[in-house]
Amino acid sequence: MYSKDTIQGLIQARLAGIKQASEKRDVEELMSWHSKDATFMDVVNNISHEGIDAVREFYAQAYRAIPTFRVSNEGTTGFTPEFVACEMKCEGEPAIDLPHLGSKAGETLSWTGVSLFWYRWEGNGEEWDGSLSDEAVRGWKIVKERAYHVAAKKPSG
């Protein structure tokens, strides 16, 4: 059994890597955190992507549509390496009109997101040894993500 501090260290290290890849808009770096059989579901829009190639294409399209992106006020809840809930504030400037999000190209789009992540150990050895080395942290792969988001209300007037 691993200590609470070890589990929280793992969760924070994974989140930092995912955040960095997301903000850089680096699809391949983001995919390095995913299992080959990963699934992603945008629960709000009832859209699901199964397998690394489908997840990669989803993110490639999203990154082209919103090429600038920032994450702030992220918080996580997790007590095991296998499951984490993450809440974050997101902001970006779309390169194209996104009518389904009520946003036009060049406008700042803000939303609150919550992602539920399921992870699986795919690193060296039968199971994780509790190490927080980069190699060990990267041995955990996302197998499923369920994303929920709510766009910030624009001021009327």
Side-chain angles (χ1 to χ4, degrees):
M1 192 65 166
Y2 305 106
S3 72
K4 179 180 174 184
D5 289 342
T6 299
I7 300 295
Q8 293 308 307
L10 173 67
I11 290 169
Q12 293 309 312
R14 290 187 309 208
L15 179 61
I18 293 166
K19 177 182 175 182
Q20 180 179 3
S22 295
E23 289 184 339
K24 286 186 346 188
R25 308 316 261 168
D26 186 333
V27 174
E28 292 310 314
E29 177 66 20
L30 185 65
M31 290 304 97
S32 75
W33 292 96
H34 288 75
S35 180
K36 297 218 181 310
D37 62 346
T39 61
F40 173 88
M41 182 170 197
D42 173 344
V43 177
V44 173
N45 293 302
N46 196 29
I47 299 170
S48 185
H49 306 279
E50 296 184 24
I52 194 77
D53 293 334
V55 175
R56 178 184 288 109
E57 182 56 27
F58 164 76
Y59 277 107
Q61 288 178 2
Y63 288 6
R64 285 190 298 272
I66 307 174
T68 59
F69 184 74
R70 295 164 301 283
V71 176
S72 62
N73 298 326
E74 64 272 5
T76 59
T77 302
F79 303 99
T80 72
E82 294 86 6
F83 178 78
V84 175
C86 180
E87 180 178 355
M88 65 211 97
K89 300 286 185 191
C90 302
E91 200 174 76
E93 288 74 35
I96 59 173
D97 290 349
L98 299 172
H100 66 287
L101 297 176
S103 183
K104 295 192 181 294
E107 292 181 344
T108 297
L109 176 63
S110 300
W111 65 96
T112 299
V114 172
S115 282
L116 306 178
F117 293 101
W118 285 262
Y119 288 87
R120 177 174 60 221
W121 174 248
E122 294 183 2
N124 293 327
E126 289 290 315
E127 58 186 49
W128 180 51
D129 65 4
S131 170
L132 296 178
S133 71
D134 187 56
E135 179 182 2
V137 169
R138 288 186 155 280
W140 287 98
K141 301 297 181 188
I142 298 167
V143 291
K144 182 164 79 168
E145 178 182 359
R146 293 178 61 90
Y148 303 77
H149 53 86
V150 176
K153 300 283 186 201
K154 293 182 182 180
S156 58

